[in-house]
Each structure stands twice: as structure tokens, then as C-alpha cells.
Amino acid sequence: MMDAVFITGRKQAFDFKGPLLPATYFRKSFTVGPGLVSAKLMMTALGIYVPYINGIKPDDRLMTPGYTEYPKRLQYQTYDVTEFIREGENVIAAELGDGWYRGSCGPMGARGTYGDVLGLASELELVYTDHTERVLTDITWKWTDNGPITNQDIKLIEHYDARKEIPGWELPSFDDSGWANASLTEYEGELIPDEGEKICVHETFTPVILKTPDGSTVLDFKQNLAGFVTFTVTGKKGMTVCLLHGEVLDENGNFTTSNLGNEKMLPIGQKIVYDLKDGTQTYHPKFMIAGFRYVKLIDWPEEVVPENFTASAVYSDLRFIGTFSCSNEKVNRLVKNVEWSLKSNFVDIPTDCPHRERGGWTGDINVFNECANILADTRRFLSKWLKDVVLTQTDDGAVISVVPSVFMMNRKSRELTPGAAGWADAITCIPLRQYHSYGETYDIEHSYEAMKKYVDFNIKRSGKTTIRSLFRKKENRDYILDNGFHYGEWLEPGAANMVDALKAILMPDSEVATAWFFWSAGKLSEAAEILGKTEDAARYRELSEKVKKAYIAEFIKDGKIKSKRMCKYVRPLYMGIAEGELAKDIARELNSLVKENDYCIGTGFLSTYQILNVLTDFGYHETACRMIENEKCPGWLYEVSRGATTIWEGCDAIDPGTGRVKAKSLNHYSPGAAVSWLWTRLCGIKPIAPGYKEIVIEPRPGGTFRQARASYNSVSGMIVSDWSISEEGEFTLDAVIPEGVKARVVLPDGEIFDDARSGRFSCSYQGGKIPKTI
Ligand code: BGC
């Protein structure tokens, strides 16, 4: 347990509209005697800190202490620093920047969200053969902010003036008599040991140099990512480097960041300024990361050589567990793009996009959860974040839309839209999804009371009378969610964020809200069942049945959905609101709508992730295949055909005719969530029991796919479904089933193998069965 106090450097009134501030440098010299056995450093900050022991950074962790709901809790890191300590004088040092704590955060890019004053807390434990000593932060630590990082922000800018470097400041024998003594500052939340995955550098890329039509020099790293650029430059004092990061070229082939918004409303920044000293020097930012594929060299003092630049992808150190490949190369690229959007948006918390808002939007991860769990082991990462979702729940039970909480429209309110359907429901859906993926009840146990509070909040608000509810049949009124703020389906093709936001404010969609009310009540009942809370399980099951009945009565009157919007069909199907003949009718209609729409995407945020699943599950697998393989706009492979390397916020983000980039991010994982279908339907790996202890492998060929292979390294072991169809029409499946996992294999001709083991299964794809097991 860490219990050091927080110290700070300059205490000045923070002006969130004022200039950005320099980094602060702290140092503390101490003496080590003979007989040292081990040394352990615990450190954290209100801001982002970079630690050093005798000038050495103890490990590869970046952006420490990570991002939590700071008013409530703050992580600290522990480092084994034994090997860096020596007898005699030693120095513990740290650089401190604004980070998420005081830097630009959330949809409005507000600064100073969590506090005005940065702080550092450090505890070094020195274990000797016969006693233990501790070096703690206190007012004897020295600081300066007159160093090389002259201003910084986590997203806007990092300005490094190499002429202001302070040689040896982090080493022993440095004269710090000109530095000021630290003062104390307060932190009222709880200090907790690291809960997530460490953030560090992963892949690196060397660029191709472009000369764009407007005469600029632009580096193309060929991969959209979140991270930073390391550069080596040779020059003289007085020369400057300036880099601007963006993710796309405009219709004329010039660098632009206009898709990320209007600099006046929501500054994007993503700028590095570097003032040279004499000679050859290498730099990368410490406190800023950017979302980018392209870097415009606004200033560069010498010939531009690709080898002088490296882009480093920075993200949480997840274990990737799902792979996919098939005969359609563009689908393979699509999967890579989803993986890259996951990487770009899993930087300690799950975000919507790595540049514009960088918010922990609950809805985005709610729809992406299953896909994320197929690609990576998200247990630690999401458990940590879920705890903040619980901690930020409002007193009346609403769940906020961006976690950790950020300023939304103004600097007073941390949340304007609590309880938004599909977003707030992350609290009921994610713990259950984690349970199904990994077979562990930890998240359900931890979130159970919050889940319940949220569903009870929905009960309360659906019970309130509104003008709209007065027009409903009396028996349905209490079960239709007619009030509250709801984003609705959100961003169906063609829609713009602002227009959708206005719709959400003026006429929130009761159909969407009621469907999620039903879904969450059901999830809660399931959670209760798992935890053995039988009374709750029965109570909320009954509630979900009543909501379902009301939904059908109000929104599927006379068995018909009176809308041409695909989402209105997808939702009742995947949520299981419509069943039996009614579901079949709805699915048939959905299939027609997709065909009429030329197999293009017509759904928005809350249904795109499920449309392929429902098409396949209701017998329209061929339509699903044609849809995912469709290269027309809006479609997943349209993006790929346009050279996308991550998933776009909308599949129509670049106009197919003009090539103009709309005001949409090009790195939003949510619409890519549908690729989980490649594992669960095309290759047919489906968990039946939590943690894949029991599975079905039911490959379903279709479309142009002649071969597909999905692997999933589940907690129960490696599962593979690898199928192909030969020229002669023989279908072969190579399946890997882990020891101890109960598996059933279903071949495309309907042949079923219960209690299947790893091996090869085949049949004639056209008809006659040739089942053999090897
Ligand atoms: C974000 C989304 C988010 C949404 C709320 C957008 O601006 O980028 O992904 O969920 O707002 O609807």
C-alpha cells in the first residue's frame, strides 16, 4: 500500500483557456549505505509522470499512472529498481505533464477536468540486510519548470526546446541549489495498485515520403494508429521542427484534419514543435499521443529521409487471442482494420476514437464488446474500466455516457445524457459478456448492485407520465420508456452527428429505449441467476417479459413494423423480442430491405454490430455474406477498397464520388464490431457454456468464400475452425477442439457430430454426405 503525500511545483491559478504550461521536473537526492538487498519504487501522479532512478527509466511503461475516475481513485505503479541503485548518492527523478488529469479531455476537449494543480507522489522502499528505509515525497524535493518541455498537453501539443535541456538533472552530483523546494498538494481519492494492462509501444512503422499537390511534404506511415513519431534531425540552434498529425488526405491528396472537427469548437492539435540544439538529435514526445497515419512536416530543416522517422503504436498490452483469414483478401484487411481500431482505442480505457474526443463512451464498447473479446483477452482491461462505470453511476441509478466522467457541454456538468439507451446499458451487458467469454463471475459480482440500480432507474422513469405516454394503451404505459435522453440508433448512413444529436434532444426514440429496457432487465435477471439470487432473477425476468409484451404491442402493431429503417427490424430480432412466426416475418422483411438497398449498410450504431448475425441466424446467410463482401458505399469493404487501415465512424465517411472526407473520424471501432460474425457464423465457433467449456463448431460457407480459418485461444484452450471447398465441391473442415471441451460439429449438409474431438470432417457441399473423421 502506498501512502506518500503529493508534492507539486508551481502553484498558479490555472486558466483553462490560457496558454498551455511547461512540464515540471522533480528530483531528490539520497544516500544508500552498504547492505542493500532490494529497492522498490511506487509512484503516481495527478497528471502523467515519467520516472527515473539515476537517469534510468525503470521499465517500458508509458502514460503512467493511466486513466481512472480521478476524483475517486488513482492507480500507482510499482517498479523493482534494485539494479539501478548503487552505494553512495542516488537520485530519484520524475517529469510531470498534464495528461488526462489537467489536459484536453472528452467531447469538448475541456482542459482542467479533474484539477488545476498537478502532483507527484513517490515512495522508494530500500530493504537492507538488517533494516528498511523509505524515501518519500516531501518538501525537500526540488523542482523546476524551466526545462526543455515548454508546453504540453495530452492531445494538443508538445513543444520541446532542446536549447533548454538541463544536462544531468536526473543524475547524482547535479547542483540543484537553483531549483525551488516542492510544496504539498492534496489528493482526496483512493490510491490503488495498477489494475489495467500497462500502456507501452508495440508495432513501429517507417514512412513513405509524399509531396502533396499543395507543395507540402507529408509522411505516410501506411497505417492509421494511436501513438507518436520518433525523429532524428541534424541541424543548428535556432532551427525548428514542426509536425502535424492527421489520418487522411483530402479529395485533392492534401493533408487535412478537417474530418476531426472545427479547431475552434474542438481543438485537435496533435502538433509537435521541436527547437534544435546543435548536432544530431533524436526525440519523441512523452506527454502527447496522436491518432494518425499521416504527418505533415510544417518545418523540417534538412533533407527528408524516411529512416529519420518512426511511428510507434501505443496501446494497452493486451494478449491477442483471435485470428482470421479467408479467401477474400479484402475481408482479411477488414479484420486487420478492426484490430487496429481496437489497438488505437484501447489506451487504458476503451475510447470512441483516438483523436477527436478520446472519450470512454459507454455505448461504443458496449456494441464492440463481443468482438473485442474475440480479438483480445480484455479481462483486466475492462474490469478496471467497469469499476469506474460503477463509481460514476448517479445517485438515482443512471449510468453516464462517458467514463471516466468528463465535461460535456459546459464546465459545470460532467454528464448531460445519463441513462442513454444502448450507452448506459453497458453496465448490464458488459459484465455478462465477460462472463460468457471467460467464464468468470468477477465483473458480475462487482457490478451487480449497479446493474440493479440502473434497471430500477428505468422502472422509475418508464413509470412517469409524459405527453407521449398518454397516447399509449394504458396497460403498456409503465413498460414503454418514453422519457429520458437517448441517442437513438445514431449515425445511420447519411446522418451527421449534429443532426442526430438534435434528434436525440428533441425526440428521443422510445422504440430504442424500450428495447434496451427489455434487454437490460433480461441481463440483470441472468446475472441474478448466476449469482444465485433467485428472487431477483424471477422479478426481473417477469419485468423483461412485460416490457417485451408492451414493445410488441406498441412497435410491432398487427405483426408489422411500420418503417423502412433496417434497425427497426434488426433490434427486435437480435434481442429476442420477436420470436416464432413473428420473428420469421420480420427477418424476411429485413432480408428484402437489405436486398433493396443493394446489400449496403443501412443501420447505425446500435444495430450494425448485429445485422449479419440475425441474417444468418434467420436463414439469410447468403445475404449476410453478400453484405460483408459488398464493396459499394456504404459497406465495410467499401472502406477497404478506399485504402482504409482502420474502421471509420461511418462506412460513408469518404464520399464515393467526390472523395471528400466528411466530418467523421476514421478510427472508430464500433461499426467494425460486426466482424465477430466471421468467427461465430462463417466459421461457426460458438460458445454454449461460459468460458467456451462447451462449444459448437458450425461452419457456414457462402458468398465468394472458398476457404476460411478462424482461431480463438479461449480460456479453455485453442479452438480452430478451418474450412475449405475444393474445385470438386468437397467441403473439408479441420477443427481443433481443446481437451476437456464438449464440442458438437455441424457440417453444412446438416451432418452432426456430437462429442466431437479435434480432427478433419468432410462432406460434399452440394448435397450427398461423405462424412469421415480422421
Ligand atoms: C462519439 C461516439 C459516441 C457518440 C454518442 C460521438 O461523438 O464519437 O462514438 O458514442 O458521440 O452518441
Side-chain angles (χ1 to χ4, degrees):
M1 197 51 219
M2 180 181 180
D3 56 10
V5 295
F6 281 81
I7 56 169
T8 192
R10 190 173 305 279
K11 273 191 171 167
Q12 63 189 34
F14 174 72
D15 175 3
F16 65 88
K17 282 194 187 141
L20 296 167
L21 299 171
T24 306
Y25 301 77
F26 290 94
R27 73 187 305 277
K28 165 78 186 171
S29 159
F30 60 98
T31 308
V32 170
L36 184 77
V37 177
S38 65
K40 184 171 81 176
L41 173 68
M42 286 178 276
M43 203 178 254
T44 189
L46 305 170
I48 286 179
Y49 73 91
V50 184
Y52 302 95
I53 295 283
N54 295 324
I56 300 164
K57 195 169 167 290
D59 70 12
D60 63 348
R61 272 177 270 190
L62 297 174
M63 305 189 73
T64 46
Y67 193 13
T68 45
E69 179 65 16
Y70 292 137
K72 308 263 180 176
R73 60 198 207 121
L74 174 66
Q75 299 183 115
Y76 64 84
Q77 285 69 42
T78 303
Y79 309 84
D80 180 352
V81 294
T82 316
E83 60 177 310
F84 311 123
I85 304 272
R86 58 196 185 190
E87 222 176 290
E89 192 198 351
N90 290 266
V91 166
I92 172 169
E95 288 169 90
L96 187 58
D98 286 11
W100 294 277
Y101 188 79
R102 195 174 67 179
S104 308
C105 265
M108 300 314 289
R111 290 171 57 216
T113 304
Y114 304 100
D116 292 2
V117 177
L118 302 188
L120 177 78
S122 172
E123 179 172 340
L124 176 67
E125 190 182 81
L126 300 165
V127 179
Y128 291 85
T129 41
D130 52 356
H131 70 293
T132 298
E133 287 174 12
R134 294 195 306 165
V135 181
L136 296 158
T137 31
D138 61 20
I139 54 167
T140 65
W141 284 53
K142 298 286 194 147
W143 69 272
T144 182
D145 59 4
N146 191 17
I149 299 184
T150 57
N151 55 60
Q152 45 73 41
D153 182 86
I154 191 165
K155 170 172 114 166
L156 299 178
I157 192 169
E158 183 155 319
H159 187 156
Y160 188 90
D161 187 345
R163 296 165 302 183
K164 296 186 76 179
E165 282 175 357
I166 314 168
W169 72 275
E170 72 284 48
L171 298 172
S173 339
F174 173 83
D175 178 10
D176 62 17
S177 54
W179 288 29
N181 276 74
S183 49
L184 299 182
T185 189
E186 292 288 319
Y187 172 64
E188 283 169 7
E190 191 193 345
L191 290 186
I192 52 160
D194 249 347
E195 284 187 356
E197 307 284 6
K198 69 170 178 178
I199 306 168
C200 58
V201 163
H202 295 267
E203 298 88 340
T204 55
F205 299 86
T206 309
V208 167
I209 314 282
L210 307 177
K211 260 276 172 244
T212 54
D214 64 1
S216 311
T217 305
V218 173
L219 312 176
D220 178 1
F221 289 97
K222 299 277 178 189
Q223 177 58 58
N224 203 13
L225 52 85
F228 57 72
V229 173
T230 305
F231 58 85
T232 298
V233 62
T234 304
K236 286 195 171 56
K237 265 189 194 160
M239 291 176 164
T240 301
V241 163
C242 179
L243 312 180
L244 206 55
H245 302 68
E247 57 176 356
V248 69
L249 300 179
D250 69 12
E251 66 272 30
N252 302 314
N254 293 318
F255 177 92
T256 183
T257 53
S258 65
N259 67 308
L260 297 176
N262 175 328
E263 278 288 333
K264 279 202 187 112
M265 280 179 69
L266 173 61
I268 299 303
Q270 303 209 119
K271 191 183 206 176
I272 297 296
V273 180
Y274 181 90
D275 297 308
L276 274 75
K277 56 189 175 185
D278 290 334
T280 298
Q281 46 223 284
T282 296
Y283 188 72
H284 68 76
K286 289 175 178 153
F287 299 114
M288 188 196 98
I289 57 165
F292 68 101
R293 164 178 169 166
Y294 298 96
V295 168
K296 179 169 168 176
L297 299 185
I298 296 188
D299 280 311
W300 185 261
E302 56 169 340
E303 195 196 332
V304 182
V305 183
E307 292 65 42
N308 282 342
F309 303 91
T310 305
S312 296
V314 173
Y315 51 87
S316 290
D317 200 19
L318 301 155
R319 194 167 59 90
F320 283 83
I321 53 178
T323 68
F324 178 82
S325 64
C326 69
S327 49
N328 184 335
E329 276 310 320
K330 287 193 174 167
V331 172
N332 295 341
R333 181 66 234 192
L334 174 69
V335 173
K336 281 267 151 294
N337 293 0
V338 177
E339 211 170 272
W340 271 104
S341 280
L342 181 154
K343 290 172 176 176
S344 317
N345 283 297
F346 270 38
V347 181
D348 213 35
I349 61 155
T351 54
D352 58 335
C353 54
H355 27 49
R356 188 185 68 206
E357 301 178 32
R358 270 193 205 170
W361 283 96
T362 47
D364 299 50
I365 185 61
N366 193 21
V367 301
F368 190 62
N369 191 189
E370 180 187 13
C371 185
N373 290 2
I374 286 174
L375 293 171
D377 182 344
T378 66
R379 278 175 289 177
R380 269 178 70 87
F381 181 88
L382 286 180
S383 287
K384 162 185 168 280
W385 179 77
L386 270 173
K387 285 192 190 160
D388 286 331
V389 178
V390 171
L391 283 171
T392 50
Q393 187 171 31
T394 63
D395 290 342
D396 57 2
V399 172
I400 66 174
S401 300
V402 183
V403 178
S405 64
V406 289
F407 290 130
M408 297 294 267
M409 298 303 282
N410 55 46
R411 297 187 65 83
K412 287 194 195 87
S413 124
R414 282 289 175 85
E415 176 66 50
L416 282 179
T417 59
W423 273 255
D425 302 82
I427 191 61
T428 46
C429 299
I430 295 180
L432 257 290
R433 167 63 57 201
Q434 298 308 93
Y435 169 70
H436 286 294
S437 295
Y438 307 112
E440 293 167 9
T441 52
Y442 180 83
D443 293 319
I444 299 183
E445 282 162 26
H446 218 274
S447 313
Y448 186 76
E449 286 310 316
M451 294 164 94
K452 198 167 154 179
K453 212 167 137 188
Y454 171 61
V455 174
D456 289 345
F457 164 72
N458 276 341
I459 296 176
K460 266 181 268 147
R461 57 180 175 165
S462 65
K464 280 189 193 146
T465 307
T466 64
I467 295 179
R468 268 200 277 181
S469 70
L470 288 175
F471 290 92
R472 310 238 176 247
K473 284 207 181 110
K474 217 164 171 210
E475 69 267 26
N476 296 333
R477 281 183 200 159
D478 281 355
Y479 303 105
I480 297 291
L481 200 40
D482 269 323
N483 64 44
F485 172 95
H486 305 289
Y487 290 102
E489 175 65 12
W490 193 254
L491 285 191
E492 284 162 281
N497 296 45
M498 287 313 274
V499 177
D500 265 14
L502 265 179
K503 268 204 268 174
I505 295 166
L506 299 174
M507 39 180 180
D509 191 331
S510 306
E511 179 272 316
V512 175
T514 306
W516 282 90
F517 180 21
F518 157 78
W519 189 239
S520 272
K523 295 282 171 206
L524 174 58
S525 160
E526 199 185 331
E529 193 84 57
I530 293 161
L531 299 186
K533 298 176 188 286
T534 40
E535 252 174 57
D536 278 3
R539 183 166 153 238
Y540 291 104
R541 195 176 319 112
E542 194 188 323
L543 170 68
S544 75
E545 285 305 319
K546 285 183 176 157
V547 178
K548 185 205 290 197
K549 215 170 135 216
Y551 178 103
I552 294 173
E554 291 290 331
F555 304 115
I556 321 182
K557 284 186 183 132
D558 310 319
K560 281 255 168 291
I561 293 173
K562 291 178 190 58
S563 168
K564 286 281 174 198
R565 292 166 65 194
M566 289 179 201
C567 63
K568 299 285 170 194
Y569 296 77
V570 176
R571 205 171 351 268
L573 289 177
Y574 82 79
M575 289 191 173
I577 294 174
E579 292 168 302
E581 286 308 311
L582 177 62
K584 281 188 196 158
D585 290 347
I586 292 174
R588 195 177 316 112
E589 194 55 37
L590 172 66
N591 184 50
S592 307
L593 286 177
V594 174
K595 282 182 164 175
E596 277 164 31
N597 201 37
D598 222 0
Y599 301 92
C600 288
I601 295 177
T603 43
F605 199 94
L606 292 181
S607 304
T608 300
Y609 81 116
Q610 290 284 359
I611 188 163
L612 299 175
N613 295 344
V614 298
L615 285 169
T616 295
D617 293 351
F618 284 92
Y620 302 102
H621 182 60
E622 199 51 39
T623 305
C625 291
R626 288 190 67 168
M627 203 173 181
I628 197 167
E629 291 196 285
N630 188 6
E631 295 186 23
K632 279 182 253 131
C633 176
W636 291 285
L637 292 198
Y638 165 68
E639 300 183 19
V640 173
S641 306
R642 293 223 60 132
T645 60
T646 42
I647 295 295
W648 301 348
E649 186 175 16
C651 293
D652 57 353
I654 296 183
D655 187 281
T658 61
R660 201 165 296 144
V661 194
K662 301 182 182 165
K664 283 185 181 160
S665 128
L666 301 186
N667 204 349
H668 251 71
Y669 50 54
S670 42
V675 304
S676 61
W677 172 91
L678 296 166
W679 276 261
T680 59
R681 308 304 198 278
L682 190 72
C683 288
I685 300 176
K686 255 193 156 176
I688 299 298
Y692 291 73
K693 287 189 188 71
E694 188 182 341
I695 59 170
V696 168
I697 298 186
E698 186 179 2
R700 295 177 186 85
T704 75
F705 297 104
R706 304 303 291 172
Q707 178 274 326
R709 180 185 192 277
S711 78
Y712 181 67
N713 198 357
S714 76
V715 289
S716 300
M718 177 63 86
I719 302 166
V720 179
S721 167
D722 182 356
W723 63 259
S724 60
I725 304 169
S726 71
E727 289 293 315
E728 294 72 40
E730 189 186 22
F731 174 90
T732 309
L733 167 72
D734 278 306
V736 176
I737 297 159
E739 271 299 310
V741 166
K742 187 166 164 14
R744 152 189 264 232
V745 168
V746 182
L747 294 186
D749 67 348
E751 181 85 359
I752 293 174
F753 299 85
D754 276 316
D755 289 325
R757 302 268 171 273
S758 290
R760 173 164 294 183
F761 305 81
S762 59
C763 70
S764 164
Y765 182 50
Q766 267 81 28
K769 299 178 197 170
I770 329 166
K772 326 180 209 119
T773 326
I774 295 170

